[in-house]
Amino acid sequence: MRKMNFSAGPSVMPVEVLEELQKNLVDYHGKGLSMIEASHRGGVFEEMYDECLADFRSILSIPDDYDVYFLGGGATLQFTMIPMNFLLKGSHADYLKTGSWANKAADDAEKIGNVNILFDGKDSNYTTLPDPKSVKPSEGSSYLYLCSNETIGGIEWQDFPTTGDVPLIADMSSDFLSRPVDVSKFAMIYGGVQKNLGPAGAVFVIMRHDLLDKRNPDLTAYMDYAKHAKNKGLYNTPPVFSIWAVSLVLKWIKANGGAEGMLKNAIEKSGYIYDVIDNSDFYRSPVDKSCRSRMNVVFRCPTEELEAKFVEESKKEGMIGLKGHRSVGGLRASLYNALPMEDAASLAAFMKEFERKNG
Ligand SMILES: *Cc1c(COP(=O)(O)O)cnc(C)c1O
């Protein structure tokens, strides 16, 4: 029996994709070798990779003047690569400190250059976001950086700022392809794939090509986005297994209604959980209603003892990953694309029953 997996990442994958990986692991579609044994310069890989990139582009209608590729190093390496490339001496970049992940990115950027903190959610304990219309880049900014969904705090931008000539850069690790996104608003979107797109190992990068004109040209090879763009991500060996799995997840998303279909499911799944919270005096959401995440629902019980009990008892029902991040405590249900609708419904039913017994 497969568990109901509410983990924040690595996280649940579509079972059809896991089966497809298993079926083709030893002999990839009769080619006589595994995808993970094939050269990344050879036909077997490149055929899969080209199709993967084409599906990736088609799901979000990514315009032609954007490069798309995968890198290693996790989303965390991007916290460094972005300022190394684009935060030039004598200039500064705007950051929105909205929680754990944006804050880490800002901290890394500060080691590299001048950072202007446009917003800091510290006073609300990172439970709210600014109104996108109120966010204006500062004069002469190299770029404006935000995180679209704070995986740990459970807050998600419902709409994005408009930044004019200042490039907008977004970490979308934990809500990418859970909804349609107008890519043309952004100069760069990136994210680790292990939340919503596949197994750990790869980071996707979507970057408007002309952003490269403004980069620092004196970087070592791997740190230089231009090297990766020119070689469509094959400057060095890419994370082959992870990309293969992502390619199958993309086909699964296409077959299940694309980004619109994912959004519809995300609204329904998170609705189950938020409805229980909103109709209860037992559970509470620490997060401002206007920016509740559909991917990571963070909630509390009246006491920490009850939260520990909730985790223990949910495990007995086959539900895993419901403990909140150690930095914030509480409970968290991650409801990524691949989480079956029934699992969200089961969690909602469990929550009601737990309240009945303990409320
Ligand atoms: C998980 C996560 C990261 C870090 O990803 P790694 O691949 O572990 O480096 C960064 N940003 C967000 C929004 C995340 O959810």
Side-chain angles (χ1 to χ4, degrees):
M1 252 283 270
R2 278 173 59 78
K3 306 273 188 203
M4 294 179 246
N5 187 351
F6 298 95
S7 301
S11 41
V12 60
M13 302 244 316
V15 67
E16 299 93 318
V17 168
L18 296 174
E19 283 165 359
E20 183 76 14
L21 290 168
Q22 180 185 46
K23 199 170 83 192
N24 286 291
L25 182 68
V26 176
D27 183 0
Y28 184 78
H29 293 288
K31 302 279 187 194
L33 80 171
S34 175
M35 177 59 72
I36 56 174
E37 298 172 307
S39 165
H40 64 293
R41 308 278 177 214
V44 171
F45 173 79
E46 285 213 295
E47 204 176 295
M48 177 278 291
Y49 187 54
D50 287 344
E51 212 172 303
C52 176
L53 295 181
D55 286 338
F56 197 101
R57 283 179 178 280
S58 83
I59 292 172
L60 286 185
S61 309
I62 298 176
D64 288 344
D65 57 333
Y66 285 72
D67 294 309
V68 177
Y69 49 85
F70 295 92
L71 297 177
T76 302
L77 180 60
Q78 299 305 303
F79 299 168
T80 297
M81 282 179 74
I82 289 163
M84 272 192 163
N85 278 265
F86 304 121
L87 180 40
L88 304 183
K89 284 198 183 67
S91 173
H92 67 275
D94 293 320
Y95 276 72
L96 299 162
K97 290 183 102 170
T98 53
S100 306
W101 292 114
N103 296 5
K104 281 188 179 170
D107 290 349
D108 278 351
E110 272 172 0
K111 299 219 164 92
I112 291 168
N114 292 326
V115 167
N116 177 41
I117 305 298
L118 268 192
F119 171 85
D120 191 338
K122 192 165 61 214
D123 291 343
S124 77
N125 211 12
Y126 301 103
T127 58
T128 189
L129 292 169
D131 175 357
K133 288 192 198 70
S134 74
V135 176
K136 295 275 169 271
S138 61
E139 182 75 32
S141 178
S142 298
Y143 58 86
L144 190 152
Y145 180 101
L146 61 80
C147 174
S148 63
N149 181 66
E150 287 284 0
T151 322
I152 293 173
I155 54 176
E156 183 176 26
W157 290 83
Q158 309 299 312
D159 203 356
F160 297 104
T162 301
T163 56
D165 290 340
V166 173
L168 178 59
I169 297 181
D171 172 1
M172 293 197 185
S173 293
S174 52
D175 68 348
F176 190 67
L177 294 189
S178 70
R179 55 176 165 173
V181 168
D182 177 3
V183 172
S184 70
K185 274 196 103 162
F186 299 84
M188 174 183 183
I189 299 172
Y190 76 93
V193 304
Q194 74 271 24
K195 309 284 162 60
N196 222 0
L197 287 189
V203 171
F204 67 86
V205 174
I206 305 170
M207 191 184 291
R208 204 175 60 227
H209 196 72
D210 67 5
L211 189 62
L212 293 171
D213 300 344
K214 296 187 195 159
R215 81 189 193 286
N216 173 0
D218 296 321
L219 295 172
T220 54
Y222 194 85
M223 302 312 280
D224 183 357
Y225 286 117
K227 285 261 188 312
H228 300 296
K230 183 158 177 251
N231 295 281
K232 60 167 207 195
L234 304 181
Y235 173 74
N236 73 323
T237 317
V240 171
F241 181 82
S242 186
I243 292 171
W244 173 29
V246 169
S247 77
L248 298 174
V249 172
L250 295 175
K251 293 204 181 301
W252 178 88
I253 290 174
K254 284 177 80 171
N256 286 278
E260 291 284 357
M262 296 300 114
L263 174 62
K264 195 169 150 281
N265 290 346
I267 291 170
E268 199 171 332
K269 283 188 275 184
S270 59
Y272 279 122
I273 312 304
Y274 285 122
D275 278 352
V276 174
I277 295 169
D278 288 342
N279 291 302
S280 148
D281 298 322
F282 182 81
Y283 299 108
R284 96 195 133 74
S285 159
V287 165
D288 187 14
K289 259 195 182 170
S290 67
C291 52
R292 283 174 163 181
S293 172
R294 287 184 288 259
M295 293 287 104
N296 310 98
V297 179
V298 170
F299 58 101
R300 310 282 325 215
C301 292
T303 66
E304 286 183 14
E305 289 68 31
L306 282 167
E307 287 166 353
K309 191 174 174 196
F310 185 101
V311 171
E312 275 319 299
E313 295 197 353
S314 60
K315 267 189 199 145
K316 288 187 203 137
E317 300 296 318
M319 300 176 188
I320 58 166
L322 288 165
K323 196 172 185 307
H325 191 267
R326 59 189 181 282
S327 63
V328 294
L331 300 161
R332 171 177 55 174
S334 296
L335 311 171
Y336 297 122
N337 288 344
L339 185 87
M341 189 65 71
E342 311 82 84
D343 293 9
S346 297
L347 174 59
F350 173 81
M351 287 172 72
K352 284 189 211 157
E353 182 61 12
F354 188 81
E355 175 175 1
R356 199 184 59 76
K357 286 195 202 138
N358 298 281

